[in-house]
Amino acid sequence: NQAFHISVAYQRGAYDDYDAEINLKERSLLRLGYENASVLVVIEAFTARDPSLVVQAAQLAEGVDLTLLPAQSLVAHGGSAVIHWYFKELWSLKLRADHVNPATALAEMDVRSQIAAVSYETLNGITLAGIYSRTDLGENHSLKSRTTEKGLLALRMVF
């Protein structure tokens, strides 16, 4: 069994709390995928438009600093790639990479992240996972640390 997936989405609306000149909320998404019994591969790309006040207030894009763009409509671009490989009967490997530029009007605002996870699912519904995550911020993104790394172990039980 194998399947190809294509998704195209477009959304347009407005925020109620902001000036009519900048309150446009817009999303476009293209997603391509392939899966069979042992692998799932997904690639997606998106564009978005939001007021800078919303991006700042909601702490979107890892808390990007938009003080240079007060009360403006921002265009963002980004994309993701995911591979989920079931390499043994109860084992799987998941790799994910994301990239977003939350304000294309400014240089070096990018957010790049990578996640790698290995999981083992037992026969009685328990899943154990080891996960590593790394996020890199562009030079002008914010005053935060440029690189953040995390590792964790997870346990999931299904009742």
Side-chain angles (χ1 to χ4, degrees):
N1 265 346
Q2 63 181 9
F4 290 94
H5 307 276
I6 298 174
S7 299
V8 178
Y10 178 76
Q11 173 189 5
R12 186 179 174 101
Y15 293 94
D16 294 332
D17 298 335
Y18 300 97
D19 185 5
E21 293 179 19
I22 64 161
N23 74 344
L24 179 64
K25 176 182 182 177
E26 191 173 43
R27 307 279 184 274
S28 301
L29 173 73
L30 172 63
R31 178 180 291 163
L32 306 172
Y34 169 78
E35 69 178 309
N36 64 31
S38 64
V39 71
L40 168 68
V41 178
V42 177
I43 298 172
E44 62 185 21
F46 74 88
T47 62
R49 182 181 298 270
D50 290 290
S52 59
L53 300 169
V54 170
V55 174
Q56 196 83 42
Q59 292 288 307
L60 300 176
E62 297 287 330
V64 65
D65 180 6
L66 297 172
T67 54
L68 294 176
L69 297 171
Q72 293 187 29
S73 182
L74 299 180
V75 175
H77 296 286
S80 299
V82 177
I83 297 173
H84 196 164
W85 177 38
Y86 304 92
F87 59 93
K88 287 194 176 185
E89 187 174 339
L90 301 173
W91 289 88
S92 72
L93 172 69
K94 186 172 188 177
L95 304 173
R96 179 181 179 109
D98 299 295
H99 174 258
V100 64
N101 182 343
T104 57
L106 296 174
E108 295 295 323
M109 300 295 276
D110 300 62
V111 178
R112 291 180 180 87
S113 65
Q114 303 85 36
I115 298 172
V118 175
S119 65
Y120 174 75
E121 185 172 344
T122 67
L123 295 175
N124 56 0
I126 297 173
T127 303
L128 305 167
I131 304 162
Y132 169 77
S133 169
R134 177 184 171 120
T135 301
D136 295 296
L137 305 177
E139 194 67 32
N140 296 325
H141 179 276
S142 64
L143 296 177
K144 290 182 167 185
S145 173
R146 296 285 167 245
T147 300
T148 304
E149 294 181 279
K150 298 175 187 173
L152 64 104
L153 296 173
L155 170 69
R156 181 182 81 170
M157 297 176 71
V158 179
F159 298 98

